[in-house]
C-alpha cells in the first residue's frame, strides 16, 4: 500500500520568510515517483516537480527547492523568500511500481503568505 | 491551449437526482482520472481510464459510474445523488503511467441538498 503524509495542514508565514513543506511517504516498491502540485485559490492543480526513486539529487528552480531523502522517506519542498503569490494548497503525491497509473495524494498543506 | 476542460463548473442537485460531469482533454493523453476533493481528505481517486473504452475503479467508486467512449472524453455519472457526494470534483489526464504527470481541470463544485 502507498501512503503520503503531510503533517502540516496549515502554515502562515510573513512575506520574504523561507518556508518548508514536509512530505513523508510509504511504499514497499523500490521504484517509484514523487510529485509536488500547487493548488492556487483559483482551484486548478498545477504540476511543480517529479522525482524518481533512483535520483536523490536535490533540485532548485528559482525560489523553489526540493530535498529528497530516501533514508527518511521524505520529499520536502522549500520556498525561499516567500511571496503572496505562493499562497496556495500544496500537495505531495506518490506513484509506485505495480500501479503507476494510480497516484496517491497527501491531504495537502495550505500555505498563507502574509504581506 | 485548452488542456483539460470540465463541464459544468457548479451544480446544485437534490437528493436522488442524476447528472453527468464531462471532462474533455485536447492533449491526446491516454490516461484520464476523476477525483473528489473534500476538506481534510485531500484528493481521492474515484475512477480512472487507461485508454479509450477502458475504465477501472479507484479508491472511492461507490455511487459513481464512468465511461470513456472517445479518447478525449471521460464522463462521470451520478445515478442517484446523495448529500455525501457534495464535493469538488477534478478531472485529470496524463500521457502515460511513468512518470504519471497529471494535468488537471478547474474542478466542478457539486452540492447535493
Amino acid at each position: 500500500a502507498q501512503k503520503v503524509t503531510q503533517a502540516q495542514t496549515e502554515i502562515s508565514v510573513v512575506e520574504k520568510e523561507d518556508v518548508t513543506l514536509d512530505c513523508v511517504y510509504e511504499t514497499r516498491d523500490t521504484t517509484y515517483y514523487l510529485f509536488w502540485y500547487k493548488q492556487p485559490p483559483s482551484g486548478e492543480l498545477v504540476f511543480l516537480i517529479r522525482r524518481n526513486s533512483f535520483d536523490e539529487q536535490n533540485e532548485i528552480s528559482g525560489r523553489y527547492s526540493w530535498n529528497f531523502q530516501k533514508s527518511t522517506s521524505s520529499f520536502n519542498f522549500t520556498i525561499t523568500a516567500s511571496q503572496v503569490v505562493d499562497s496556495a494548497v500544496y500537495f505531495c503525491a506518490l506513484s509506485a511500481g505495480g500501479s503507476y497509473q494510480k497516484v496517491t495524494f497527501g491531504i495537502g498543506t495550505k500555505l498563507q503568505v502574509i504581506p | 491551449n485548452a488542456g483539460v476542460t470540465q463541464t459544468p463548473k457548479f451544480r446544485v442537485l437534490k437528493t436522488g437526482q442524476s447528472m453527468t460531469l464531462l471532462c474533455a482533454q485536447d492533449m491526446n493523453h491516454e490516461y484520464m482520472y476523476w477525483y473528489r476533493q473534500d476538506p481534510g481528505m485531500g484528493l481521492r481517486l474515484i475512477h480512472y481510464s487507461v485508454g479509450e473504452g477502458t475504465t477501472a475503479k479507484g479508491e472511492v467508486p461507490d455511487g459513481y459510474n464512468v465511461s470513456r467512449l472517445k479518447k478525449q472524453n471521460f464522463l462521470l455519472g451520478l445515478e442517484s445523488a446523495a448529500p455525501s457526494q457534495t464535493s469538488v470534483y477534478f478531472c485529470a489526464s496524463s500521457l502515460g503511467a511513468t512518470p504519471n504527470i497529471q494535468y488537471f481541470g478547474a474542478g466542478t463544485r457539486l452540492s447535493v441538498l
Side-chain angles (χ1 to χ4, degrees), chain A residues 33 35 37 39 42-47 50 89 91 95 100-103 105-108, chain B residues 31 33 35 37 40-43 45 48 50 57 90 97-102 104-106:
Chain A
Y33 291 87
F35 308 84
Y37 286 84
Q39 184 180 36
S42 59
E44 189 170 328
L45 279 81
V46 177
F47 166 76
R50 59 119 172 141
V89 179
F91 291 94
S95 71
Y100 286 121
Q101 65 271 26
K102 294 183 183 179
V103 176
F105 286 82
I107 65 170
Chain B
Y31 291 20
Y33 305 82
Y35 294 92
Q37 183 179 22
M41 305 287 287
L43 284 159
L45 181 64
Y48 65 98
V50 299
K57 294 180 180 179
F90 285 97
T98 1
N100 196 338
I101 298 172
Q102 299 188 6
F104 285 80

Side-chain angles (χ1 to χ4, degrees), chain B residues 81-101:
Chain B
S84 61
Q85 294 178 304
T86 293
S87 187
V88 181
Y89 292 86
F90 285 97
C91 176
S93 69
S94 64
L95 189 60
T98 1
N100 196 338
I101 298 172

Side-chain angles (χ1 to χ4, degrees), chain A residues 29-80:
Chain A
D29 294 292
T30 57
T31 304
Y32 51 88
Y33 291 87
L34 294 161
F35 308 84
W36 276 96
Y37 286 84
K38 175 182 180 180
Q39 184 180 36
S42 59
E44 189 170 328
L45 279 81
V46 177
F47 166 76
L48 293 178
I49 189 171
R50 59 119 172 141
R51 175 67 71 219
N52 73 54
S53 53
F54 298 109
D55 182 4
E56 286 194 73
Q57 199 168 16
N58 292 329
E59 183 156 340
I60 298 175
S61 176
R63 296 184 297 106
Y64 294 172
S65 62
W66 291 269
N67 182 8
F68 175 31
Q69 291 195 336
K70 288 177 75 171
S71 60
T72 56
S73 297
S74 64
F75 186 41
N76 296 337
F77 174 27
T78 297
I79 301 174
T80 303

Side-chain angles (χ1 to χ4, degrees), chain B residues 60-76:
Chain B
V60 289
D62 294 341
Y64 305 95
N65 56 75
V66 289
S67 65
R68 183 112 181 258
L69 299 179
K70 293 183 179 181
K71 185 177 183 178
Q72 63 268 34
N73 295 336
F74 195 30
L75 278 62
L76 177 71

Side-chain angles (χ1 to χ4, degrees), chain B residues 23-64:
Chain B
C23 177
Q25 53 95 2
D26 62 1
M27 296 174 283
N28 201 33
H29 284 173
E30 288 294 331
Y31 291 20
M32 296 187 75
Y33 305 82
W34 276 107
Y35 294 92
R36 58 178 290 173
Q37 183 179 22
D38 302 291
M41 305 287 287
L43 284 159
R44 292 183 292 169
L45 181 64
I46 304 171
H47 286 280
Y48 65 98
S49 167
V50 299
E52 181 179 317
T54 70
T55 63
K57 294 180 180 179
E59 181 185 355
V60 289
D62 294 341
Y64 305 95

